[in-house]
Amino acid sequence: MTDPVAMGARALMAGGLVAFPTETVYGLGGNALDPVAVSRIFAAKGRPTDHPLICHIASADDLTPLVAEVTPLARALADAFWPGPLTLVMPRSGAVPDAVTGGRDTVAVRVPDHPLALELLRAFGGPVAAPSANRFGRPSPTRAGDVRDELGDTVDVILDGGPCAIGVESTVLDLASDPPQVLRPGGISVEQIEAVIGPVAAASGPARAPGMLESHYAPGARVEVLDAEALPARADELAGAGEHIAVLAPGAISPLPDSVLVLGPAGEPDTYAALLYAAFRRADAEGCAVILAVPPAAEGIGVAVRDRLARAAAGS
Ligand code: TXA
Ligand code: MG
């Protein structure tokens, strides 16, 4: 039998697209140094071409050709968090095509923490540009089947690494600004970053990272974010009006009408993160019109989950 990773590497070399698992979400990868391959990524996703992509590399040593300079700050963060869910935005080198950065003078790079992703990157031997493997504006896929459902034949190879352990996207940290600024909260918390490099500017305002719209990450169902105390009354009201609703919350909620699809309890913030996008997709598959979501505590990865819930609600 042919080794799927070898097939994936060959597809990348031929300018094709490969979906692969990471510890955060599945990525849709193409050769980052081939503008034609990169344009295929945008076409497959239906994503506007000015939205920049993340370059995935096998180790911090592969950073050098992509960036203007590997600064001590970048080195310290790479040592602390790579492989892992931290994306660093840095002034780019001339090797990175405009297609990857949307014409910006910076490039976003990370080393993913997943054995299949690392095997693929090593077998291919170069940087792989990969956004999340969903259609533009939809929740990111956290299982290979989600990628197949959403992108199907537009992808040459789909590597199946099972469900993603973290479940929400990487933290994006802009090292080109002073102090460094979090553009997107994610798998590595601000506290973890500050423990290594000192104060950073936290994410502020809705659309920080280019292409990071308020309405991203939305399921088909409308998302309403509310307190646990307010949920039963709202569920009664919507169910009474004949709406098929789903509930996602850290703990058990009662009483709830019998017709409600219970997507949790989602437990601690890390469990909540791991099931968030699969829960969105399940609600859609079951034809729910509304998802009532109680956010997790704003600690650790809970900050990223709250951010995605707010964006999903804004996009509804
Ligand atoms: O966890 C993740 O980051 C996943 C996996 C597949 O690695 N990837 C992912 O990619 O979420 P995507 O394309 O959906 O999100 C990339 C984020 C966007 O918010 C984008 O604006 C930001 O990174 N970004 C990329 N290049 C940038 C740049 N040069 N300057 C500022 N932000 C950038
Ligand atoms: Mg995405």
Side-chain angles (χ1 to χ4, degrees):
M1 235 189 70
T2 323
D3 169 26
V5 170
M7 272 176 60
R10 272 201 301 279
L12 290 173
M13 288 170 201
L17 301 185
V18 178
F20 60 95
T22 79
E23 78 281 32
T24 58
V25 301
Y26 275 74
L28 177 65
N31 179 356
L33 303 182
D34 174 357
V36 178
V38 172
S39 71
R40 288 200 184 106
I41 298 174
F42 286 102
K45 275 187 69 98
R47 170 157 155 160
T49 52
D50 60 344
H51 291 194
L53 305 178
I54 296 173
C55 289
H56 295 70
I57 54 177
S59 91
D61 297 337
D62 301 334
L63 196 52
T64 312
L66 300 178
V67 299
E69 184 196 352
V70 181
T71 60
L73 206 58
R75 175 65 58 194
L77 290 163
D79 285 348
F81 299 115
W82 285 356
L86 178 67
T87 294
L88 300 178
V89 173
M90 285 171 280
R92 66 161 164 163
S93 75
V96 182
D98 281 344
V100 170
T101 69
R104 281 174 192 74
D105 53 11
T106 52
V107 62
V109 190
R110 83 180 190 99
V111 179
D113 187 13
H114 193 290
L116 272 185
L118 291 170
E119 271 182 57
L120 177 72
L121 290 166
R122 287 192 201 106
F124 172 57
V128 171
S132 49
N134 51 282
R135 299 277 307 164
F136 181 62
R138 296 262 308 138
S140 298
T142 52
R143 300 163 303 194
D146 300 338
V147 180
R148 218 169 283 125
D149 290 348
E150 200 144 314
L151 297 176
D153 291 345
T154 56
V155 186
D156 296 296
V157 177
I158 299 177
L159 299 179
D160 189 346
C164 300
I166 293 182
V168 294
E169 301 81 357
S170 62
T171 302
V172 179
L173 181 68
D174 185 1
L175 293 183
S177 63
D178 188 20
Q181 191 185 11
V182 175
L183 301 179
R184 177 176 75 181
I188 299 285
S189 69
V190 167
E191 292 74 22
Q192 285 174 286
I193 293 169
E194 291 189 330
V196 175
I197 61 166
V200 299
S204 62
R208 290 129 352 213
M212 198 174 163
L213 309 178
E214 279 250 27
S215 61
H216 260 172
Y217 315 104
R222 185 171 90 240
V223 176
E224 289 182 21
V225 179
L226 70 184
D227 292 340
E229 296 70 43
L231 200 147
R234 182 68 178 142
D236 273 343
E237 186 184 358
L238 290 169
E243 299 256 49
H244 188 196
I245 61 175
V247 165
L248 179 60
I253 305 267
S254 68
L256 285 175
D258 287 343
S259 62
V260 169
L261 171 65
V262 179
L263 298 168
E268 296 300 307
D270 54 344
T271 318
Y272 202 129
L275 68 73
L276 178 71
Y277 292 139
F280 281 179
R281 285 172 191 278
R282 174 149 178 239
D284 281 352
E286 310 237 350
C288 295
V290 185
I291 300 171
L292 299 179
V294 178
E299 301 158 6
I301 201 163
V303 174
V305 174
R306 293 167 72 101
D307 171 80
R308 303 309 187 270
L309 284 172
R311 283 169 198 287
S316 301

